[in-house]
Amino acid sequence: MALTGLISYFCLPKKQTIYKSMATDTNLLSARLNALSESETLAMTKKARELAAQGHKVISLSVGEPDFQTPQHVKDAAKKAIDDGFSFYSPVPGFPDLRQAIADKLKKENNLDFGPENIVVSTGAKQSIANVLLSIVNPGEEVIIFAPYWVSYVEMVKLAEGRSVIVSGSLENDFKVTAAQLEKAITPKTKAILFSSPCNPTGSVFTEKELRAIGDVVAKHKNIVVIADEIYEYINFEGSHFSIGSIPAIKDQVVTVNGFSKGYAMTGWRVGYIGAPKLIAAACDKIQGQVTSGTCSIAQKAAVAAYKGDLTAPKEMAKAYLRRRDLVVGMLKEIPGLKVNTPQGAFYSFPDVSAYLGKSVNGQKINTAAELSMFILNDVFVSTVGGDAFGAPNNIRISFAASDENLIEAVNRIKTCLAKLQ
Ligand code: PMP
Ligand code: GLU
């Protein structure tokens, strides 16, 4: 046999998978992908956009994003960055001035001691969290996630081939997981703990006392990393924000996640970041360097302006969210059967809709919160998200980051819709 023939014989796969159809056979896709669920927040929002494109008067309360414009001085900084020629790749973890501005902010507002080398800027806090999980989780290791949780946490853990361990906060404790619950859930396989405060989807905010109690548990387990998602920090109706990473005994175990999407109404700009121990920051830099590189250079310069400015804009927006919270919660409480919590932060109401599950309309039985959310969208064109995707199957999430007028109209429509269920 000629040499080339021999080489190709040994290099050929011995058993070839034959796919039924390249276009439709999901066996073609990786097991990793096939295990992944689509983001429910984005799926409902896509459906709402499609209905709107068909001419329906849709009110979209499914995606969690500010309805405000980005502050003018931030927009101006982006325009200047374009004119100044910031059109090249940035360093992978972000421009030095942005990392310094973030380190300064974390020191001043959060009592976190980081230098620029501890900061990695990413394409949104979403990528920041994915970077951290991919950097630290080995296949089969456990990540404790406080429920109700943000939809993407569980799916990101799947991508990292870890195992989510869900610990649910009770309604009586305002959906918040206690230190005792956490302690019970820790095993030798626990690698990380992941939660948001203020919380998406419940709006609950952990107090300093509660976080210190959680810190006491974490301090006993030096191999566990806390991923503290503080993206809603500036939307807090109760007062000051406490960062768990500022507790001295565990500061080397905490990764603080934050960003510009919510506080500065910059969802589309895609700038998020972590403040982390150097080892983890360097690991995220490495991963990001192979997947996306530094986030948009123009957006980074805009983010510098946001943090160099004062807090007028975030505070004004938070004031509007508080007014809307009171409006929406007040109206929802008038709807028979709903159990409505009062969120202390973020911009979501998360009513318990279990009184309506199992009921029917026009011969169609509504079994789950996801089905109820879909029924509301198709019936009265208000998009919400079923709590199933947040680990809370009795609830639906309603964003109140919308105009007062739209919120009033939306809740009235929901009320009319629910009244049809028998
Ligand atoms: N964490 C939570 C709890 C969120 O609600 C969001 C919103 N998408 C993110 C992280 C990610 O934010 P972004 O990627 O827009 O910075
Ligand atoms: N965080 C927002 C939400 O929960 C934005 C959508 C998303 O990225 O999931 O709706």
Side-chain angles (χ1 to χ4, degrees):
M1 200 184 290
L3 187 62
T4 45
L6 251 180
I7 291 170
S8 53
Y9 174 80
F10 283 110
C11 291
L12 262 181
K14 295 294 166 289
K15 217 174 114 201
Q16 236 182 351
T17 311
I18 307 296
Y19 299 109
K20 278 177 262 157
S21 151
M22 264 294 195
T24 56
D25 188 354
T26 54
N27 289 323
L28 177 73
L29 305 172
S30 68
R32 187 182 310 107
L33 186 281
N34 282 330
L36 197 69
S37 304
E38 184 181 2
S39 163
E40 192 60 20
T41 51
L42 300 183
M44 285 303 283
T45 306
K46 190 166 123 193
K47 180 98 183 36
R49 282 198 188 115
E50 283 164 10
L51 287 169
Q54 289 164 20
H56 298 291
K57 287 190 86 182
V58 176
I59 301 177
S60 182
L61 305 181
S62 47
V63 74
E65 76 173 334
D67 58 321
F68 295 107
Q69 275 295 316
T70 301
Q72 192 57 45
H73 69 285
V74 177
K75 288 183 179 179
D76 290 342
K79 291 177 196 164
K80 183 168 181 317
I82 295 174
D83 291 339
D84 288 351
F86 281 95
S87 47
F88 303 97
Y89 288 131
S90 76
V92 171
F95 284 124
D97 58 345
L98 176 55
R99 293 161 82 203
Q100 186 63 58
I102 291 168
D104 293 346
K105 179 258 184 245
L106 292 176
K107 176 75 203 151
K108 188 167 150 213
E109 296 176 8
N110 307 84
N111 198 21
L112 298 171
D113 247 325
F114 291 127
E117 65 283 4
N118 299 100
I119 311 297
V120 178
V121 179
S122 300
T123 305
K126 201 176 229 177
Q127 188 190 17
S128 301
I129 300 164
N131 280 346
V132 177
L133 291 168
L134 290 168
S135 295
I136 64 173
V137 176
N138 284 306
E141 286 182 338
E142 295 172 356
V143 178
I144 296 177
I145 296 178
F146 293 179
Y149 48 76
W150 180 43
V151 282
S152 295
Y153 293 163
V154 170
E155 302 306 318
M156 287 178 186
V157 170
K158 274 189 207 163
L159 278 180
E161 299 181 51
R163 208 171 75 75
S164 292
V165 174
I166 307 300
V167 182
S168 297
S170 65
L171 189 60
E172 300 71 55
N173 198 38
D174 207 11
F175 296 109
K176 288 185 279 188
V177 169
T178 63
Q181 282 181 288
L182 170 65
E183 188 144 38
K184 258 197 231 149
I186 291 175
T187 75
K189 284 193 171 170
T190 306
K191 189 57 168 279
I193 299 164
L194 172 54
F195 64 92
S196 61
S197 177
C199 175
N200 175 4
T202 63
S204 299
V205 177
F206 279 101
T207 63
E208 176 174 343
K209 193 168 163 225
E210 288 161 341
L211 288 173
R212 285 195 184 278
I214 287 172
D216 288 343
V217 174
V218 172
K220 291 188 232 164
H221 302 273
K222 285 295 170 197
N223 296 330
I224 294 181
V225 175
V226 176
I227 307 170
D229 183 346
E230 303 185 1
I231 188 94
Y232 293 95
E233 173 185 7
Y234 288 149
I235 308 168
N236 180 334
F237 312 128
E238 294 297 305
S240 64
H241 175 87
F242 182 76
S243 290
I244 190 168
S246 67
I247 300 173
I250 58 165
K251 72 178 177 38
D252 294 336
Q253 292 172 257
V254 180
V255 177
T256 302
V257 179
N258 209 325
F260 296 81
S261 288
K262 316 291 169 171
Y264 287 89
M266 291 176 67
T267 44
W269 298 73
R270 310 308 301 131
V271 195
Y273 62 83
I274 53 164
K278 271 191 214 161
L279 182 74
I280 295 179
C284 291
D285 181 348
K286 188 170 164 187
I287 286 207
Q288 188 161 294
Q290 293 291 17
V291 181
T292 55
S293 296
T295 192
C296 168
S297 54
I298 316 297
Q300 287 189 54
K301 289 293 169 189
V304 173
Y307 272 3
K308 290 249 160 105
D310 61 22
L311 289 173
T312 308
K315 281 188 178 158
E316 282 299 311
M317 290 188 259
K319 227 191 273 172
Y321 296 133
L322 175 57
R323 191 188 64 245
R324 292 157 174 191
R325 175 198 74 174
D326 291 342
L327 174 71
V328 167
V329 166
M331 287 182 77
L332 288 172
K333 280 188 173 161
E334 299 289 307
I335 301 180
L338 294 188
K339 280 185 241 155
V340 187
N341 67 317
T342 302
Q344 297 146 1
F347 38 58
Y348 307 104
S349 175
F350 201 56
D352 179 311
V353 293
S354 51
Y356 290 94
L357 304 182
K359 293 195 171 183
S360 302
V361 57
N362 301 332
Q364 179 199 353
K365 194 167 172 203
I366 305 290
N367 291 307
T368 66
E371 286 172 17
L372 183 63
S373 175
M374 191 56 86
F375 172 65
I376 293 171
L377 177 58
N378 286 322
D379 191 53
V380 291
F381 304 112
V382 175
S383 69
T384 59
V385 189
D388 319 58
F390 302 93
N394 288 331
N395 299 66
I396 61 170
R397 192 188 76 173
I398 301 171
S399 164
F400 50 81
S403 69
D404 296 31
E405 189 193 353
N406 272 352
L407 289 171
I408 294 169
E409 169 71 16
V411 181
N412 280 333
R413 288 194 205 173
I414 291 173
K415 188 175 181 180
T416 312
C417 173
L418 291 178
K420 295 178 192 166
L421 288 159
Q422 300 294 323

